[in-house]
């Protein structure tokens, strides 16, 4: 049973930084539940406003439906109502509906609806997909706008009229005009979440547009830095934000950009470096190459897990 009704879930996630836990794997690439639970409990010490279980950073795309349900159920058990848990759903409509029902059965508080597989649908088809998922569950749904599934502002407005439990829009597009049009048309009907890779890069301009929160993969291995950076964003502390970008985020993303899929692999590498290993990534992703791993290790050692500080 969910701990948060849809509107309460949306209100909760808007208040603070959000966690995107990695999914732990054994050497044979099966889900390693015990260290996953331990790691999530450690992340919760940072008091995130919500947890995305089996999301993109959690390798949703490499998990079976049964595994998504297991990861979600484990997350619900660990959080124990302290913060909302949103489970990943996606692929074609039938599978997305099944995953939404599994999330509800596992006790999740909401759904993060990722893009459907491969194809690029029309706005009408994409709207029908979102509506089918919303109608299949009583949980609050946050749609992830990105890649091949980008809802235009008028489509979002129509969905808001038809789907009371559509409560959020997570933006992975980076189209400022689209975000301004959507916010102008819909206002506060939805909660808006930043969802571009390494969200800290975009957090300050997004916050000024009415996007109050984002999911930070950095909570997986540098929670003090991640929380301190978010606090600087909320306080509009531009000097501290600039220092955090220069000292860690920009060098980190330069390493991330060296390989396809490294946006996930680098997070698992970071967790291993700080003594919280989560096993390898599943194919088709690949782990960081040796030089990138060494460079990340040096960056973390040089910076440490401390909040960013403005340069004197």
């Amino acid at each position: 049973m969910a701990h948060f009704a849809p509107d309460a879930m949306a209100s909760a996630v808007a208040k603070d930084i959000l966690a995107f836990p990695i999914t732990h794997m054994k050497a044979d690439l099966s889900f390693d539940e015990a260290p996953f639970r331990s790691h999530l409990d450690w992340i919760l010490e940072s008091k995130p406003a919500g947890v995305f279980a089996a999301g993109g950073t959690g390798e949703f795309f490499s998990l079976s439906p049964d595994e998504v349900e297991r990861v979600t159920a484990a997350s619900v058990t660990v959080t124990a109502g302290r913060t909302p848990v949103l489970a990943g759903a996606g692929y074609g409509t039938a599978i997305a509906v099944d995953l939404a029902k599994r999330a509800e059965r596992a006790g999740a508080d909401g759904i993060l609806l990722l893009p459907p597989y491969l194809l690029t649908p029309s706005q009408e088809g994409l709207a029908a997909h979102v509506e089918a998922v919303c109608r299949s569950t009583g949980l609050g749904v946050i749609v992830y706008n990105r890649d091949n599934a980008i809802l235009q502002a008028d489509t979002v407005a129509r969905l808001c009229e038809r789907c009371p439990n559509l409560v959020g829009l997570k933006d992975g597009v980076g189209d400022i005009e689209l975000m301004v049009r959507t916010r102008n048309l819909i206002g506060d009907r939805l909660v808006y979440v930043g969802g571009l890779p390494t969200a800290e890069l975009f957090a300050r301009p997004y916050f000024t547009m009415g996007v109050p929160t984002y999911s930070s993969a950095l909570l997986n291995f540098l929670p003090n830095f991640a929380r301190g950076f978010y606090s600087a964003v909320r306080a509009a502390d531009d000097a501290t934000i600039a220092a955090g970008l220069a000292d860690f985020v920009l060098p980190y993303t330069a390493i991330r950009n060296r390989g396809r899929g490294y946006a996930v692999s680098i997070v698992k590498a970071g967790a291993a470096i700080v003594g919280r290993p989560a096993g390898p990534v599943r194919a088709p992703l690949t782990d960081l190459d040796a030089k990138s791993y060494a460079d990340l290790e040096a960056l973390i050692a040089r910076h440490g897990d401390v909040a960013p500080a403005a340069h004197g």
Side-chain angles (χ1 to χ4, degrees), residues 15-308:
K15 293 177 180 177
D16 212 326
I17 194 170
L18 306 171
F20 234 160
I22 48 181
T23 299
H24 293 57
M25 304 292 181
K26 298 178 182 177
D28 66 359
L29 296 179
S30 61
F31 174 45
D32 202 357
E33 185 168 337
F36 171 83
R37 287 178 179 236
S38 175
H39 187 66
L40 178 54
D41 196 49
W42 178 72
I43 290 174
L44 290 173
E45 293 176 10
S46 300
K47 298 187 178 350
V51 169
F52 289 105
T57 301
E59 298 181 74
F60 165 80
F61 41 79
S62 296
L63 302 174
S64 71
D66 285 345
E67 288 173 322
V68 172
E69 188 172 354
R70 282 187 64 200
V71 171
T72 303
S75 302
V76 169
T77 298
V78 173
T79 57
R82 286 178 282 175
T83 192
V85 173
L86 294 93
Y91 303 110
T93 304
I95 295 176
V97 164
D98 176 59
L99 286 166
K101 291 178 178 178
R102 287 171 179 265
E104 192 161 5
R105 184 168 67 200
D109 302 289
I111 303 294
L112 177 63
L113 182 57
L114 289 93
Y117 172 73
L118 192 61
L119 54 85
T120 303
S122 66
Q123 288 294 293
E124 292 78 10
L126 189 55
H129 173 74
V130 174
E131 187 172 0
V133 173
C134 288
R135 288 186 172 182
S136 73
T137 178
L139 301 180
V141 176
I142 295 178
V143 175
Y144 202 170
N145 230 30
R146 65 176 296 170
D147 295 324
N148 60 320
I150 300 172
L151 293 164
Q152 297 300 316
D154 56 345
T155 306
V156 177
R158 290 195 300 273
L159 283 166
C160 285
E161 293 174 357
R162 298 200 296 260
C163 305
N165 61 328
L166 177 61
V167 296
L169 183 71
K170 184 172 184 180
D171 182 67
V173 182
D175 184 333
I176 301 302
E177 180 181 346
L178 176 59
M179 178 57 72
V180 170
R181 288 185 181 279
T182 303
R183 288 281 287 119
N184 182 69
L185 189 60
I186 300 161
D188 294 330
R189 165 65 177 79
L190 299 176
V191 60
Y192 301 92
V193 179
L196 288 160
T198 314
E200 283 80 3
L201 277 173
F202 313 93
R204 178 71 174 106
Y206 266 39
F207 187 76
T208 65
M209 291 192 305
V211 181
T213 186
Y214 56 85
S215 50
S216 176
L218 300 183
L219 282 172
N220 281 285
F221 61 97
L222 291 184
N224 293 322
F225 177 85
R227 175 151 285 296
F229 192 95
Y230 180 79
S231 295
V233 170
R234 292 285 270 203
D237 183 349
D238 289 334
T240 298
I241 293 167
L245 291 171
D247 295 342
F248 185 81
V249 177
L250 288 170
Y252 171 84
T253 53
I255 298 170
R256 180 204 70 189
N257 291 343
R258 292 177 187 173
R260 291 186 177 273
Y262 272 13
V264 175
S265 307
I266 196 171
V267 183
K268 280 200 162 178
I273 289 166
V274 302
R276 307 196 68 85
V281 294
R282 282 183 177 174
L285 295 183
T286 56
D287 292 310
L288 293 191
D289 61 53
K291 183 181 186 315
S292 296
Y293 189 96
D295 289 347
L296 178 62
E297 192 170 30
L299 175 62
I300 291 173
R302 184 167 66 248
H303 190 278
D305 185 19
V306 294

Side-chain angles (χ1 to χ4, degrees), residues 2-15:
H3 292 93
F4 293 81
D7 288 342
M9 179 272 285
S11 296
V13 301
K15 293 177 180 177

